[in-house]
Amino acid sequence: MLSKLRFLNHFVHKNLSTRTTAFSGFYRFSNSGAFCTVADSTTQPTPESYELPDWVKFSDNPTSPNGDYDEDFVIPSLAPWVDGHLLHPTPKFVITPTSQPNNLEEVEAITTRLKEKHPSPEKVAQALAQLSGFKVSKGLVEQILKRFSNDWVSAFGFFSWAKVQTGYEHSPQLYNFMVDILAKSKNFHLMWELVEEMAHLQQGYVTSDTLVKVMRRLAKAGKHEYAIEVFRRMGKFGVKQDTAMLNALMDALVKGNSVEHAHDALLEFKGSVPLNSHSFNVLIHGWCKVRKFEWAKKAMEDMKEHGFHPDAFSYTTFVESYCREKDFRKVDRVMEEMRKNGCTPNAVTYTIVMLALGKAGQLKEALELYEKMKVDGGVPDTAFYSSLIFILGKAGRIKDARDVFEDMPKQGVVRDVMTYNTMISIACTHQREETALRLLKEMEDSTCKPDLETYHPLLKMCCRKKRMKVLRFLLDHMLRNDLIPEVGTYTLLVHGMCRSGKLESACSFFEEMVLQGLTPKEVTRKLLLGELESKNMIKEKQHIEDLMARVQRNNLVAS
């Protein structure tokens, strides 16, 4: 077996010695992680571009996205797996022993009741009150909250019902979970009611973790001053203002697109709260994020004046920003400055640059980075391998991408969810239905749990091919992995159903999104209403308009 370094060295030299012309066309990476190809008649594909390895071929021949529709079709070799999920109610995913309910049938029974989509948390609690014979446990509550974390109505209704069950009380961790669910859905009034309830229960229920969740959600919603006010008043809840909490506030403000507020927070509290190097790194990241590099450099100078040395994170932030601008000369200068100041670029730095070069179509230069990383003592990790797979797939080098994927466990490198997501995206882009689903099954058979981004390219593919049975399977598979659709997922489904001419299904997904307490995007509303009008579906069009009126009323109440 080749060692990790020997394999990559062999792979890089093999690829640099051959022509690295990209597949015909150019590619862009969508928000969902899937690859999209746009033909370019001026570029001729290389012979290697046409070559498909066995893992792509077997019985998985590509089909036109516009042909061979069969709503109930399932790849024969995968039919037992798909049918097994659809026919058997018992989940097949693994639950950690510490949070496992005593009876998984209870999880399914409650899930079935919650999926009825009740109009309010009160109605949810009333529906659950009709169930009998349930012994509520912390494991059961945790499982249901995970499952319905994107559906605040169901989650809060269940939470309220469970709270009044005999012999049970919520833990601080479960209260925090519910606080975050409410804050994520921008139900800040209910969120604060719950925090106040926690404060009156007993000391220690409101913790730093509680208030960090609150600050992050407020900042993400654009309520920056409110987030800062939480920090000012956290002593009321018995939480101390310290360096970690100030850094968390600043980080939340930066991620909430207001580095200016983060800067103001540092100036306001630096006299009462000690700073550390991370405090300045947060600001450096924020200023670079908005391309105000002079301010970022000033933050680095302030960092030095306070006795802290810029580290790999500090410099890599500049590297990442220049990579976004495709200014690779400045990237080289920053990395040289790192070495000069005794701060060697690490695997994270090289992964960012390699990914940027690959996205820019400079595959040869991206692969050459491995040699430079070796000189700096860097060792490729999971993120490096996953990024390498991505840029190879982006360049149409499917066989090479698969080779790297297959070699990871041999080199002692763990495949994570991003690795699988990338491979699934590549397979879906090239219409390899069986391959994509086999990769999902491989995740199920291993310890790698999918996330929503795992399913998005698969759902897109099913919409294109009108594979309605597989689509139902995937939605069921998501639920069994404690995942339910969010706005991006529903948007994908509504748009996909509209393009496939399945307007009844599009309306159903749209309604489900609204009943889940989510706000549809304006482009989705316009697309669906336009399609319904073109088909003279007047009743359905009116129903969608009524749903949107409901959304507007709910948003007014929440604000």
Side-chain angles (χ1 to χ4, degrees), residues 398-453:
I398 305 173
K399 184 179 185 304
D400 288 333
R402 181 66 185 195
D403 286 344
V404 174
F405 179 80
E406 290 292 345
D407 194 71
M408 289 178 69
K410 298 175 186 176
Q411 309 306 327
V413 181
V414 177
R415 298 168 180 160
D416 64 8
V417 64
M418 184 57 67
T419 315
Y420 278 102
N421 289 357
T422 303
M423 289 299 298
I424 288 172
S425 294
I426 293 171
C428 289
T429 299
H430 293 279
Q431 302 299 317
R432 308 295 161 176
E433 185 177 355
E434 182 172 0
T435 298
L437 289 170
R438 281 190 181 280
L439 286 163
L440 179 63
K441 187 175 187 304
E442 185 177 320
M443 293 182 75
E444 181 181 285
D445 294 338
S446 68
T447 58
C448 186
K449 192 168 184 177
D451 60 17
L452 280 176
E453 297 303 319

Short mmCIF file of all heavy atoms in Angstrom, two decimals, residues 398-453:
data_model
loop_
_atom_site.label_atom_id
_atom_site.label_comp_id
_atom_site.label_asym_id
_atom_site.label_seq_id
_atom_site.Cartn_x
_atom_site.Cartn_y
_atom_site.Cartn_z
N ILE A 398 -13.53 12.51 -13.75
CA ILE A 398 -14.34 11.67 -12.88
C ILE A 398 -13.54 10.48 -12.35
O ILE A 398 -13.62 10.14 -11.17
CB ILE A 398 -15.61 11.19 -13.61
CG1 ILE A 398 -16.37 12.38 -14.17
CG2 ILE A 398 -16.49 10.38 -12.68
CD1 ILE A 398 -17.55 11.98 -15.03
N LYS A 399 -12.78 9.84 -13.23
CA LYS A 399 -12.01 8.67 -12.80
C LYS A 399 -10.98 9.06 -11.74
O LYS A 399 -10.81 8.34 -10.74
CB LYS A 399 -11.31 8.04 -14.00
CG LYS A 399 -10.56 6.75 -13.67
CD LYS A 399 -9.91 6.15 -14.89
CE LYS A 399 -9.26 4.80 -14.54
NZ LYS A 399 -8.30 4.90 -13.44
N ASP A 400 -10.30 10.17 -11.96
CA ASP A 400 -9.31 10.61 -10.96
C ASP A 400 -9.99 10.96 -9.64
O ASP A 400 -9.45 10.66 -8.56
CB ASP A 400 -8.54 11.83 -11.49
CG ASP A 400 -7.57 11.46 -12.60
OD1 ASP A 400 -7.11 10.30 -12.61
OD2 ASP A 400 -7.29 12.31 -13.45
N ALA A 401 -11.16 11.59 -9.71
CA ALA A 401 -11.89 11.92 -8.49
C ALA A 401 -12.22 10.64 -7.72
O ALA A 401 -12.06 10.57 -6.49
CB ALA A 401 -13.16 12.70 -8.82
N ARG A 402 -12.67 9.62 -8.44
CA ARG A 402 -13.01 8.36 -7.79
C ARG A 402 -11.77 7.68 -7.20
O ARG A 402 -11.81 7.10 -6.11
CB ARG A 402 -13.69 7.41 -8.80
CG ARG A 402 -14.11 6.07 -8.20
CD ARG A 402 -15.20 6.24 -7.16
NE ARG A 402 -15.55 4.99 -6.51
CZ ARG A 402 -16.65 4.80 -5.78
NH1 ARG A 402 -17.49 5.79 -5.61
NH2 ARG A 402 -16.89 3.64 -5.22
N ASP A 403 -10.64 7.76 -7.92
CA ASP A 403 -9.40 7.17 -7.42
C ASP A 403 -9.01 7.78 -6.07
O ASP A 403 -8.62 7.08 -5.14
CB ASP A 403 -8.26 7.38 -8.42
CG ASP A 403 -8.39 6.47 -9.64
OD1 ASP A 403 -9.16 5.49 -9.57
OD2 ASP A 403 -7.72 6.75 -10.66
N VAL A 404 -9.11 9.12 -5.98
CA VAL A 404 -8.77 9.79 -4.73
C VAL A 404 -9.75 9.38 -3.63
O VAL A 404 -9.36 9.10 -2.49
CB VAL A 404 -8.79 11.32 -4.92
CG1 VAL A 404 -8.57 12.04 -3.59
CG2 VAL A 404 -7.70 11.75 -5.91
N PHE A 405 -11.03 9.32 -3.97
CA PHE A 405 -12.06 8.92 -3.02
C PHE A 405 -11.78 7.52 -2.48
O PHE A 405 -11.86 7.27 -1.27
CB PHE A 405 -13.43 8.97 -3.71
CG PHE A 405 -14.59 8.54 -2.84
CD1 PHE A 405 -15.13 9.41 -1.92
CD2 PHE A 405 -15.12 7.27 -2.97
CE1 PHE A 405 -16.22 9.02 -1.13
CE2 PHE A 405 -16.20 6.86 -2.18
CZ PHE A 405 -16.75 7.75 -1.26
N GLU A 406 -11.46 6.59 -3.37
CA GLU A 406 -11.21 5.21 -2.96
C GLU A 406 -9.95 5.09 -2.12
O GLU A 406 -9.83 4.20 -1.27
CB GLU A 406 -11.10 4.31 -4.20
CG GLU A 406 -12.41 4.10 -4.94
CD GLU A 406 -13.40 3.28 -4.13
OE1 GLU A 406 -13.00 2.65 -3.14
OE2 GLU A 406 -14.59 3.29 -4.49
N ASP A 407 -8.98 5.96 -2.35
CA ASP A 407 -7.71 5.83 -1.66
C ASP A 407 -7.73 6.39 -0.24
O ASP A 407 -6.88 6.05 0.57
CB ASP A 407 -6.60 6.53 -2.45
CG ASP A 407 -5.22 6.15 -1.97
OD1 ASP A 407 -4.81 5.00 -2.20
OD2 ASP A 407 -4.56 7.00 -1.33
N MET A 408 -8.72 7.24 0.06
CA MET A 408 -8.73 7.91 1.37
C MET A 408 -8.63 6.94 2.55
O MET A 408 -7.75 7.10 3.40
CB MET A 408 -9.95 8.83 1.49
CG MET A 408 -9.87 10.07 0.62
SD MET A 408 -11.35 11.12 0.72
CE MET A 408 -11.21 11.74 2.41
N PRO A 409 -9.50 5.93 2.64
CA PRO A 409 -9.39 5.03 3.79
C PRO A 409 -8.08 4.25 3.81
O PRO A 409 -7.57 3.90 4.89
CB PRO A 409 -10.60 4.10 3.66
CG PRO A 409 -11.03 4.19 2.23
CD PRO A 409 -10.66 5.57 1.79
N LYS A 410 -7.52 3.95 2.63
CA LYS A 410 -6.25 3.23 2.58
C LYS A 410 -5.12 4.06 3.19
O LYS A 410 -4.15 3.52 3.70
CB LYS A 410 -5.89 2.89 1.13
CG LYS A 410 -6.91 1.98 0.44
CD LYS A 410 -6.55 1.80 -1.02
CE LYS A 410 -7.63 1.01 -1.77
NZ LYS A 410 -7.33 0.91 -3.21
N GLN A 411 -5.28 5.39 3.12
CA GLN A 411 -4.24 6.28 3.66
C GLN A 411 -4.56 6.74 5.08
O GLN A 411 -3.90 7.63 5.62
CB GLN A 411 -4.07 7.50 2.75
CG GLN A 411 -3.87 7.18 1.29
CD GLN A 411 -2.70 6.23 1.06
OE1 GLN A 411 -1.72 6.26 1.80
NE2 GLN A 411 -2.81 5.38 0.05
N GLY A 412 -5.62 6.17 5.65
CA GLY A 412 -5.97 6.54 7.03
C GLY A 412 -6.69 7.87 7.14
O GLY A 412 -6.72 8.46 8.22
N VAL A 413 -7.25 8.33 6.03
CA VAL A 413 -7.98 9.60 6.04
C VAL A 413 -9.48 9.30 6.01
O VAL A 413 -9.97 8.58 5.15
CB VAL A 413 -7.60 10.47 4.82
CG1 VAL A 413 -8.36 11.80 4.86
CG2 VAL A 413 -6.10 10.72 4.80
N VAL A 414 -10.20 9.84 6.97
CA VAL A 414 -11.63 9.56 7.11
C VAL A 414 -12.43 10.35 6.09
O VAL A 414 -12.20 11.54 5.88
CB VAL A 414 -12.11 9.93 8.53
CG1 VAL A 414 -13.61 9.70 8.67
CG2 VAL A 414 -11.36 9.11 9.58
N ARG A 415 -13.36 9.69 5.43
CA ARG A 415 -14.30 10.40 4.55
C ARG A 415 -15.38 11.02 5.41
O ARG A 415 -16.03 10.33 6.20
CB ARG A 415 -14.96 9.43 3.56
CG ARG A 415 -14.01 8.73 2.61
CD ARG A 415 -14.76 7.61 1.92
NE ARG A 415 -13.94 6.87 0.98
CZ ARG A 415 -14.22 5.66 0.54
NH1 ARG A 415 -15.32 5.04 0.98
NH2 ARG A 415 -13.44 5.05 -0.32
N ASP A 416 -15.60 12.32 5.27
CA ASP A 416 -16.66 12.96 6.03
C ASP A 416 -17.84 13.27 5.14
O ASP A 416 -17.87 12.91 3.96
CB ASP A 416 -16.13 14.22 6.74
CG ASP A 416 -15.67 15.30 5.77
OD1 ASP A 416 -15.89 15.16 4.55
OD2 ASP A 416 -15.09 16.30 6.24
N VAL A 417 -18.83 13.96 5.68
CA VAL A 417 -20.05 14.22 4.93
C VAL A 417 -19.78 15.07 3.69
O VAL A 417 -20.41 14.88 2.64
CB VAL A 417 -21.12 14.89 5.84
CG1 VAL A 417 -20.66 16.25 6.32
CG2 VAL A 417 -22.46 14.98 5.14
N MET A 418 -18.80 15.99 3.77
CA MET A 418 -18.48 16.81 2.60
C MET A 418 -17.87 15.96 1.48
O MET A 418 -18.13 16.20 0.30
CB MET A 418 -17.52 17.94 3.00
CG MET A 418 -17.20 18.90 1.85
SD MET A 418 -18.68 19.66 1.14
CE MET A 418 -19.20 20.68 2.51
N THR A 419 -17.07 14.98 1.85
CA THR A 419 -16.50 14.08 0.84
C THR A 419 -17.60 13.37 0.08
O THR A 419 -17.62 13.34 -1.16
CB THR A 419 -15.59 13.03 1.51
OG1 THR A 419 -14.74 13.65 2.48
CG2 THR A 419 -14.73 12.33 0.48
N TYR A 420 -18.54 12.78 0.82
CA TYR A 420 -19.65 12.07 0.17
C TYR A 420 -20.54 13.03 -0.62
O TYR A 420 -20.99 12.71 -1.72
CB TYR A 420 -20.48 11.33 1.21
CG TYR A 420 -19.89 10.00 1.61
CD1 TYR A 420 -19.20 9.85 2.80
CD2 TYR A 420 -20.03 8.88 0.79
CE1 TYR A 420 -18.65 8.62 3.17
CE2 TYR A 420 -19.50 7.65 1.15
CZ TYR A 420 -18.81 7.53 2.34
OH TYR A 420 -18.27 6.31 2.68
N ASN A 421 -20.81 14.21 -0.06
CA ASN A 421 -21.64 15.18 -0.77
C ASN A 421 -21.04 15.55 -2.12
O ASN A 421 -21.75 15.69 -3.12
CB ASN A 421 -21.82 16.45 0.08
CG ASN A 421 -22.71 16.22 1.28
OD1 ASN A 421 -23.26 15.14 1.47
ND2 ASN A 421 -22.86 17.24 2.10
N THR A 422 -19.72 15.71 -2.14
CA THR A 422 -19.05 16.06 -3.39
C THR A 422 -19.18 14.94 -4.42
O THR A 422 -19.50 15.18 -5.59
CB THR A 422 -17.56 16.36 -3.12
OG1 THR A 422 -17.47 17.41 -2.16
CG2 THR A 422 -16.87 16.80 -4.40
N MET A 423 -18.96 13.71 -3.98
CA MET A 423 -19.07 12.58 -4.90
C MET A 423 -20.50 12.40 -5.41
O MET A 423 -20.73 12.11 -6.59
CB MET A 423 -18.59 11.30 -4.21
CG MET A 423 -17.09 11.23 -3.96
SD MET A 423 -16.10 11.29 -5.48
CE MET A 423 -16.66 9.82 -6.31
N ILE A 424 -21.47 12.58 -4.53
CA ILE A 424 -22.87 12.47 -4.94
C ILE A 424 -23.22 13.55 -5.95
O ILE A 424 -23.92 13.31 -6.94
CB ILE A 424 -23.80 12.54 -3.70
CG1 ILE A 424 -23.68 11.24 -2.89
CG2 ILE A 424 -25.25 12.78 -4.10
CD1 ILE A 424 -24.39 11.27 -1.55
N SER A 425 -22.72 14.76 -5.73
CA SER A 425 -22.97 15.86 -6.67
C SER A 425 -22.40 15.55 -8.06
O SER A 425 -23.05 15.81 -9.07
CB SER A 425 -22.36 17.16 -6.13
OG SER A 425 -23.00 17.57 -4.95
N ILE A 426 -21.19 15.02 -8.07
CA ILE A 426 -20.56 14.66 -9.35
C ILE A 426 -21.41 13.62 -10.08
O ILE A 426 -21.69 13.74 -11.28
CB ILE A 426 -19.13 14.13 -9.12
CG1 ILE A 426 -18.21 15.23 -8.59
CG2 ILE A 426 -18.55 13.56 -10.42
CD1 ILE A 426 -16.85 14.74 -8.14
N ALA A 427 -21.83 12.59 -9.35
CA ALA A 427 -22.64 11.52 -9.97
C ALA A 427 -23.96 12.07 -10.49
O ALA A 427 -24.40 11.72 -11.60
CB ALA A 427 -22.88 10.41 -8.95
N CYS A 428 -24.62 12.92 -9.73
CA CYS A 428 -25.91 13.48 -10.16
C CYS A 428 -25.74 14.37 -11.38
O CYS A 428 -26.57 14.36 -12.30
CB CYS A 428 -26.55 14.28 -9.02
SG CYS A 428 -27.18 13.28 -7.67
N THR A 429 -24.68 15.15 -11.40
CA THR A 429 -24.43 16.04 -12.54
C THR A 429 -24.28 15.24 -13.83
O THR A 429 -24.75 15.66 -14.89
CB THR A 429 -23.15 16.87 -12.30
OG1 THR A 429 -23.35 17.66 -11.14
CG2 THR A 429 -22.85 17.77 -13.48
N HIS A 430 -23.63 14.10 -13.73
CA HIS A 430 -23.40 13.27 -14.92
C HIS A 430 -24.48 12.21 -15.10
O HIS A 430 -24.27 11.22 -15.80
CB HIS A 430 -22.00 12.64 -14.84
CG HIS A 430 -20.90 13.64 -14.94
ND1 HIS A 430 -20.46 14.15 -16.15
CD2 HIS A 430 -20.17 14.28 -13.99
CE1 HIS A 430 -19.50 15.04 -15.94
NE2 HIS A 430 -19.30 15.13 -14.63
N GLN A 431 -25.65 12.43 -14.46
CA GLN A 431 -26.83 11.57 -14.64
C GLN A 431 -26.55 10.12 -14.25
O GLN A 431 -27.07 9.19 -14.86
CB GLN A 431 -27.32 11.65 -16.10
CG GLN A 431 -27.68 13.04 -16.56
CD GLN A 431 -28.82 13.64 -15.74
OE1 GLN A 431 -29.79 12.97 -15.45
NE2 GLN A 431 -28.69 14.90 -15.38
N ARG A 432 -25.72 9.91 -13.22
CA ARG A 432 -25.41 8.56 -12.76
C ARG A 432 -26.28 8.26 -11.54
O ARG A 432 -25.86 8.33 -10.39
CB ARG A 432 -23.93 8.42 -12.42
CG ARG A 432 -23.00 8.87 -13.53
CD ARG A 432 -23.13 7.98 -14.74
NE ARG A 432 -22.59 8.66 -15.93
CZ ARG A 432 -22.50 8.09 -17.11
NH1 ARG A 432 -22.90 6.85 -17.28
NH2 ARG A 432 -22.04 8.76 -18.15
N GLU A 433 -27.52 7.92 -11.82
CA GLU A 433 -28.53 7.75 -10.78
C GLU A 433 -28.15 6.65 -9.80
O GLU A 433 -28.22 6.83 -8.57
CB GLU A 433 -29.87 7.45 -11.44
CG GLU A 433 -31.05 7.37 -10.50
CD GLU A 433 -32.35 7.15 -11.26
OE1 GLU A 433 -32.35 7.16 -12.52
OE2 GLU A 433 -33.36 6.96 -10.59
N GLU A 434 -27.76 5.50 -10.32
CA GLU A 434 -27.43 4.37 -9.44
C GLU A 434 -26.22 4.68 -8.58
O GLU A 434 -26.19 4.39 -7.38
CB GLU A 434 -27.18 3.11 -10.28
CG GLU A 434 -26.88 1.89 -9.42
CD GLU A 434 -26.82 0.61 -10.23
OE1 GLU A 434 -27.01 0.65 -11.46
OE2 GLU A 434 -26.58 -0.45 -9.62
N THR A 435 -25.22 5.28 -9.19
CA THR A 435 -24.00 5.61 -8.44
C THR A 435 -24.32 6.56 -7.29
O THR A 435 -23.85 6.36 -6.16
CB THR A 435 -22.98 6.27 -9.38
OG1 THR A 435 -22.63 5.33 -10.39
CG2 THR A 435 -21.74 6.68 -8.62
N ALA A 436 -25.11 7.60 -7.56
CA ALA A 436 -25.45 8.58 -6.54
C ALA A 436 -26.18 7.93 -5.37
O ALA A 436 -25.86 8.17 -4.19
CB ALA A 436 -26.30 9.69 -7.14
N LEU A 437 -27.14 7.05 -5.67
CA LEU A 437 -27.90 6.40 -4.61
C LEU A 437 -27.05 5.37 -3.86
O LEU A 437 -27.20 5.19 -2.64
CB LEU A 437 -29.13 5.73 -5.20
CG LEU A 437 -30.23 6.69 -5.69
CD1 LEU A 437 -31.29 5.96 -6.48
CD2 LEU A 437 -30.85 7.44 -4.51
N ARG A 438 -26.14 4.71 -4.57
CA ARG A 438 -25.25 3.77 -3.89
C ARG A 438 -24.34 4.49 -2.89
O ARG A 438 -24.02 3.96 -1.82
CB ARG A 438 -24.39 3.01 -4.90
CG ARG A 438 -25.13 1.87 -5.60
CD ARG A 438 -24.18 1.00 -6.40
NE ARG A 438 -24.88 -0.08 -7.07
CZ ARG A 438 -25.27 -1.20 -6.49
NH1 ARG A 438 -25.02 -1.39 -5.20
NH2 ARG A 438 -25.91 -2.14 -7.17
N LEU A 439 -23.92 5.69 -3.24
CA LEU A 439 -23.10 6.47 -2.31
C LEU A 439 -23.90 6.83 -1.06
O LEU A 439 -23.37 6.81 0.06
CB LEU A 439 -22.58 7.73 -3.00
CG LEU A 439 -21.45 7.51 -4.01
CD1 LEU A 439 -21.30 8.72 -4.92
CD2 LEU A 439 -20.13 7.24 -3.27
N LEU A 440 -25.18 7.17 -1.24
CA LEU A 440 -26.03 7.45 -0.08
C LEU A 440 -26.18 6.20 0.79
O LEU A 440 -26.12 6.28 2.02
CB LEU A 440 -27.40 7.94 -0.55
CG LEU A 440 -28.42 8.24 0.56
CD1 LEU A 440 -27.93 9.38 1.44
CD2 LEU A 440 -29.78 8.57 -0.03
N LYS A 441 -26.35 5.06 0.15
CA LYS A 441 -26.47 3.82 0.91
C LYS A 441 -25.17 3.50 1.65
O LYS A 441 -25.18 3.01 2.77
CB LYS A 441 -26.83 2.65 -0.02
CG LYS A 441 -27.14 1.35 0.72
CD LYS A 441 -27.60 0.27 -0.22
CE LYS A 441 -28.08 -0.95 0.56
NZ LYS A 441 -27.06 -1.48 1.49
N GLU A 442 -24.03 3.81 1.00
CA GLU A 442 -22.74 3.59 1.65
C GLU A 442 -22.62 4.46 2.90
O GLU A 442 -22.09 4.01 3.92
CB GLU A 442 -21.61 3.93 0.67
CG GLU A 442 -20.23 3.63 1.21
CD GLU A 442 -19.14 3.92 0.20
OE1 GLU A 442 -19.34 3.62 -1.00
OE2 GLU A 442 -18.08 4.44 0.60
N MET A 443 -23.16 5.68 2.84
CA MET A 443 -23.16 6.54 4.02
C MET A 443 -24.00 5.90 5.13
O MET A 443 -23.61 5.91 6.30
CB MET A 443 -23.72 7.93 3.69
CG MET A 443 -22.87 8.74 2.76
SD MET A 443 -23.57 10.39 2.44
CE MET A 443 -23.18 11.22 3.99
N GLU A 444 -25.15 5.37 4.76
CA GLU A 444 -26.03 4.74 5.74
C GLU A 444 -25.36 3.55 6.39
O GLU A 444 -25.51 3.31 7.59
CB GLU A 444 -27.33 4.29 5.05
CG GLU A 444 -28.33 3.64 5.99
CD GLU A 444 -29.58 3.20 5.26
OE1 GLU A 444 -30.41 4.05 4.90
OE2 GLU A 444 -29.72 1.97 5.05
N ASP A 445 -24.60 2.78 5.61
CA ASP A 445 -23.94 1.58 6.12
C ASP A 445 -22.70 1.92 6.95
O ASP A 445 -22.20 1.06 7.70
CB ASP A 445 -23.54 0.66 4.97
CG ASP A 445 -24.76 0.10 4.25
OD1 ASP A 445 -25.85 0.08 4.85
OD2 ASP A 445 -24.61 -0.29 3.06
N SER A 446 -22.20 3.15 6.81
CA SER A 446 -21.03 3.57 7.58
C SER A 446 -21.48 4.45 8.74
O SER A 446 -22.65 4.52 9.07
CB SER A 446 -20.05 4.33 6.68
OG SER A 446 -20.59 5.58 6.29
N THR A 447 -20.56 5.13 9.33
CA THR A 447 -20.90 6.00 10.46
C THR A 447 -21.04 7.46 10.02
O THR A 447 -21.09 8.35 10.87
CB THR A 447 -19.81 5.91 11.55
OG1 THR A 447 -18.55 6.26 10.98
CG2 THR A 447 -19.74 4.50 12.12
N CYS A 448 -21.08 7.70 8.73
CA CYS A 448 -21.15 9.08 8.21
C CYS A 448 -22.61 9.46 8.00
O CYS A 448 -23.27 8.94 7.11
CB CYS A 448 -20.36 9.20 6.91
SG CYS A 448 -20.24 10.89 6.30
N LYS A 449 -23.11 10.36 8.81
CA LYS A 449 -24.53 10.74 8.74
C LYS A 449 -24.73 11.85 7.72
O LYS A 449 -24.00 12.84 7.71
CB LYS A 449 -25.01 11.20 10.12
CG LYS A 449 -26.52 11.32 10.22
CD LYS A 449 -26.94 11.51 11.65
CE LYS A 449 -28.46 11.54 11.76
NZ LYS A 449 -28.91 11.65 13.16
N PRO A 450 -25.73 11.72 6.83
CA PRO A 450 -25.97 12.75 5.82
C PRO A 450 -26.44 14.05 6.44
O PRO A 450 -26.93 14.09 7.57
CB PRO A 450 -27.08 12.14 4.95
CG PRO A 450 -27.14 10.69 5.32
CD PRO A 450 -26.65 10.59 6.72
N ASP A 451 -26.30 15.15 5.69
CA ASP A 451 -26.93 16.41 6.05
C ASP A 451 -27.84 16.83 4.89
O ASP A 451 -27.97 16.10 3.91
CB ASP A 451 -25.90 17.49 6.39
CG ASP A 451 -24.95 17.80 5.24
OD1 ASP A 451 -25.26 17.44 4.08
OD2 ASP A 451 -23.90 18.42 5.48
N LEU A 452 -28.47 17.98 5.00
CA LEU A 452 -29.41 18.40 3.96
C LEU A 452 -28.72 18.53 2.60
O LEU A 452 -29.32 18.23 1.56
CB LEU A 452 -30.07 19.72 4.33
CG LEU A 452 -31.23 19.65 5.31
CD1 LEU A 452 -31.73 21.04 5.66
CD2 LEU A 452 -32.37 18.80 4.76
N GLU A 453 -27.46 18.97 2.61
CA GLU A 453 -26.75 19.16 1.35
C GLU A 453 -26.49 17.82 0.65
O GLU A 453 -26.27 17.78 -0.56
CB GLU A 453 -25.42 19.88 1.58
CG GLU A 453 -25.57 21.29 2.12
CD GLU A 453 -26.41 22.17 1.21
OE1 GLU A 453 -26.25 22.09 -0.01
OE2 GLU A 453 -27.25 22.92 1.73
#
